Structure formats: C-alpha cells, structure tokens
C-alpha cells in the first residue's frame, strides 16, 4: 500500500508537533513536510509533492484561505483539508469555494482527522449537508441574490440528468445512493459527476454542493428528495 503523503501547515509549532505525532503513527500516512505559514506552502508542495495538505485557516503572514486559493489555481494541486477552530466561518466557506475538500476542527478526535485525510486522498469530501447549510446561512447577506443568479446561470449549462445528480451531491448522497435514487449505475453517476466538474470548472464534490445550494436547488427539493414544484 502506498502511503498518503501529508503536508502540515500551522503557525503553532505545538499544534504541528501534535498533528505529526497523531497522524505520523498511522501505517498509511507519511508526513512529508511542515510549514509555519501559507507563504511557504507552494514551494514545499513543489518539493515534497503531498497528496493532502492539512491547512490552518488563520496564520499571520499568508493565511490558509490565500494559500488554498493559490494551490487550487494550479493544475496539479493536492487535496486540501482546512483546519479551523470554528464551525461557521466565512473564511472556511471561502476556502471551500476555492476548492478545499472539507474542514476539520482543531479539537476533532485524532481518529476523525485520520479519516478525513484518508477520505480526501481518494476524492471524497469531508463535509456534511448540515454543516454546508450552517456555513451558507452564516454567510447569507446582501450578496445572496447576486450569488443565486450567477449560480443559476452556471447550473443552466447542465443537462437534466446532470442537474439531478448535482442536487443529489448537494444532499450529501454517496454515488451508490444517487444511483439507486435516480435508477442508474454507479459508473454512470461517476461519469455525470466528472462531466459536472468539467462543465462548471469545479474541483470537487464540495463545490458542486455549494453551487447547488447557491442556486436554490436544495430548497426546491425536499429533504426526501422530492421536487416541490
């Protein structure tokens, strides 16, 4: 088994030491580098080639949001998990919009942080629909209408089945659950997800979920998945 190459980014040396101790002991995790500020991240990524970056959101010089935006703008970007002290935070939401695959709280149990790293390494997001809604509600404000209009314009590029898959992703369903609900194979679901990412120029399923939320698609569809119109 090839170990997951992990880069730790946090301005607190005690936090980095704790994470290194907790995560480095796992047989499938290799700590390939540590950074104390977002300004160091790009150079380290080029040098150590991590699969996953565990990124503190608040750092004194270049914060985790800026570092995430810079990394995800690259074609060969690693997966990013944001490390934060708050559930509902505008910077966390912006990092997710920029392409982070999810976030974990600093007081999250070690086993859950390990699970998050493993999941994003294979392309699974670390974000529940409930947390997505909490973040979106926290960020709601005067720009909501404009964001919704833009999101609907982007969603309009999708075909009907792709739109249905996007809604299901926004509801937090796994591929197998989407396949059952929409009467298609798991392979077909994966194909639709890949096409959605390509058409909308998105990086991961979290961004699909956020766009579906922005467009109001999750409001149009009930918790049971039935269209309200």
């Amino acid at each position: 088994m090839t170990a997951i190459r992990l880069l730790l980014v946090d301005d607190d040396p005690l936090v980095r030491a704790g994470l290194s101790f907790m995560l480095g002991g796992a047989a499938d995790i290799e700590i390939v580098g540590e950074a104390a500020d977002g300004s160091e991240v790009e150079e380290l990524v080029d040098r150590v080639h991590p699969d996953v970056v565990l990124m503190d959101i608040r750092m004194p010089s270049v914060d985790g949001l800026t570092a995430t935006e810079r990394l995800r703008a690259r074609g060969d970007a690693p997966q990013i998990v944001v490390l934060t002290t708050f559930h509902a935070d505008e910077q966390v939401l912006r990092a997710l919009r920029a392409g982070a695959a999810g976030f974990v709280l600093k007081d999250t149990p070690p086993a859950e942080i390990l699970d998050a790293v493993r999941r994003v390494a294979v392309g699974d997001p670390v974000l529940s629909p409930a947390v997505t809604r909490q973040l979106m509600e926290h960020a709601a404000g005067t720009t909501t209408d404009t964001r919704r209009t833009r999101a609907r314009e982007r969603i309009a590029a999708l075909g009907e089945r792709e739109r249905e898959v996007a809604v299901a992703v926004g509801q937090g369903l796994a591929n197998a659950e989407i396949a059952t609900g929409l009467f298609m194979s798991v392979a077909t679901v994966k194909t639709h997800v890949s096409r959605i990412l390509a058409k909308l120029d998105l990086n991961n399923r979290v961004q699909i979920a956020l766009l579906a939320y922005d467009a109001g698609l999750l409001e149009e569809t009930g918790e049971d998945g039935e269209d309200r119109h």
Side-chain angles (χ1 to χ4, degrees):
M1 177 188 296
T2 302
I4 299 167
R5 298 174 63 81
L6 179 64
L7 173 63
L8 303 176
V9 184
D10 196 293
D11 64 319
D12 188 333
L14 291 178
V15 171
R16 293 199 309 275
L19 289 171
S20 182
F21 177 77
M22 289 189 303
L23 304 178
D28 59 340
I29 302 289
E30 179 185 0
I31 308 296
V32 295
E34 297 182 14
D37 190 78
S39 61
E40 305 170 20
V41 171
E42 287 188 276
E43 186 274 332
L44 260 178
V45 166
D46 288 337
R47 180 151 52 88
V48 303
H49 306 291
D51 300 306
V52 178
V53 178
L54 192 56
M55 181 92 72
D56 185 19
I57 200 71
R58 287 179 174 79
M59 291 176 285
S61 180
V62 175
D63 62 25
L65 169 61
T66 301
T68 295
E69 290 173 337
R70 290 175 180 176
L71 278 184
R72 293 307 305 182
R74 299 157 48 128
D76 58 347
Q79 296 294 334
I80 299 170
V81 178
V82 172
L83 193 62
T84 182
T85 54
F86 301 101
H87 273 100
D89 184 279
E90 173 65 20
Q91 283 191 305
V92 173
L93 182 59
R94 288 176 61 192
L96 294 172
R97 291 188 189 283
F103 75 90
V104 293
L105 298 178
K106 289 193 175 183
D107 60 359
T108 298
E112 292 182 23
I113 297 180
L114 271 171
D115 180 63
V117 170
R118 289 168 177 148
R119 285 173 58 188
V120 300
V122 296
D124 292 335
V126 185
L127 196 66
S128 71
V131 172
T132 302
R133 286 193 292 272
Q134 183 182 7
L135 283 165
M136 295 298 294
E137 289 164 3
H138 172 78
T142 57
T143 61
T144 299
D145 289 342
T146 299
R147 182 178 291 136
R148 174 157 297 189
T149 298
R150 291 174 179 171
R152 286 183 177 272
E153 289 173 351
R154 296 182 69 187
I155 289 290
L158 302 180
E160 182 179 352
R161 293 299 267 175
E162 291 168 341
R163 182 180 182 277
E164 290 174 342
V165 170
V167 170
V169 169
Q171 292 169 334
L173 301 180
N175 287 341
E177 295 171 315
I178 297 173
T180 298
L182 296 180
F183 305 102
M184 60 177 69
S185 69
V186 172
T188 301
V189 173
K190 291 180 179 178
T191 297
H192 280 311
V193 170
S194 296
R195 287 176 178 169
I196 293 168
L197 293 172
K199 279 188 176 182
L200 302 182
D201 192 26
L202 302 175
N203 293 311
N204 55 47
R205 294 168 72 102
V206 171
Q207 288 185 316
I208 295 176
L210 289 173
L211 188 64
Y213 190 102
D214 284 347
L217 300 185
L218 305 187
E219 297 172 11
E220 297 171 2
T221 306
E223 292 296 328
D224 55 2
E226 294 184 0
D227 198 315
R228 292 178 177 173
H229 293 309

